[in-house]
Amino acid sequence: MVATHRAKKTATTINDKLTVSTKINFDVQELINVCGGKQNIVSCSATISSVTIVFKQDLNFQKEMFAKFKIRGLIKASDRITILFGDSSLLIAEQINTFIKSQV
């Protein structure tokens, strides 16, 4: 049996930029409220696919509380939570940090 070129196409373009989402499908302030409010958040950081939030006080929560944010996964540690959002994670973390640093 001999394979033909039609069986597998080769890539002709090279992706030289990181593709990230520029849209969030929920209100970030709602996420902050589920996390105990901005007064309970010490810091927030992100990777391309996840957001890590560190808390002042341990957060008692149920995973179902995060269902409306369409998360892909959740990892809980004693004082922090890592939420898998996908390629919108960087934008979400940026908005959380902006909100928690605001005086309002």
Side-chain angles (χ1 to χ4, degrees), residues 16-46:
D16 60 350
K17 292 184 180 181
L18 184 61
T19 304
V20 294
S21 182
T22 57
K23 183 178 167 187
I24 301 173
N25 295 326
F26 60 87
D27 184 8
V28 174
Q29 189 169 352
E30 285 184 49
L31 176 62
I32 292 169
N33 292 338
V34 168
C35 292
K38 73 177 189 177
Q39 67 277 1
N40 194 39
I41 299 175
V42 174
S43 67
C44 179
S45 60

Side-chain angles (χ1 to χ4, degrees), residues 28-41 53-61 65-66 69 81 83 96:
V28 174
Q29 189 169 352
E30 285 184 49
L31 176 62
I32 292 169
N33 292 338
V34 168
C35 292
K38 73 177 189 177
Q39 67 277 1
N40 194 39
I41 299 175
I53 303 171
V54 179
F55 303 109
K56 290 180 184 173
Q57 296 179 345
D58 189 17
L59 184 65
N60 293 323
F61 69 92
M65 295 167 57
F66 292 88
F69 304 115
I81 188 171
I83 309 167
I96 290 172

Side-chain angles (χ1 to χ4, degrees), residues 63-95:
K63 186 177 178 180
E64 293 77 28
M65 295 167 57
F66 292 88
K68 65 181 169 184
F69 304 115
K70 300 187 191 295
I71 64 171
R72 297 188 176 142
L74 187 119
I75 303 165
K76 169 89 168 69
S78 62
D79 67 339
R80 68 191 65 224
I81 188 171
T82 300
I83 309 167
L84 306 176
F85 284 110
D87 64 358
S88 61
S89 295
L90 295 171
L91 182 58
I92 293 168
E94 180 183 316
Q95 288 190 12

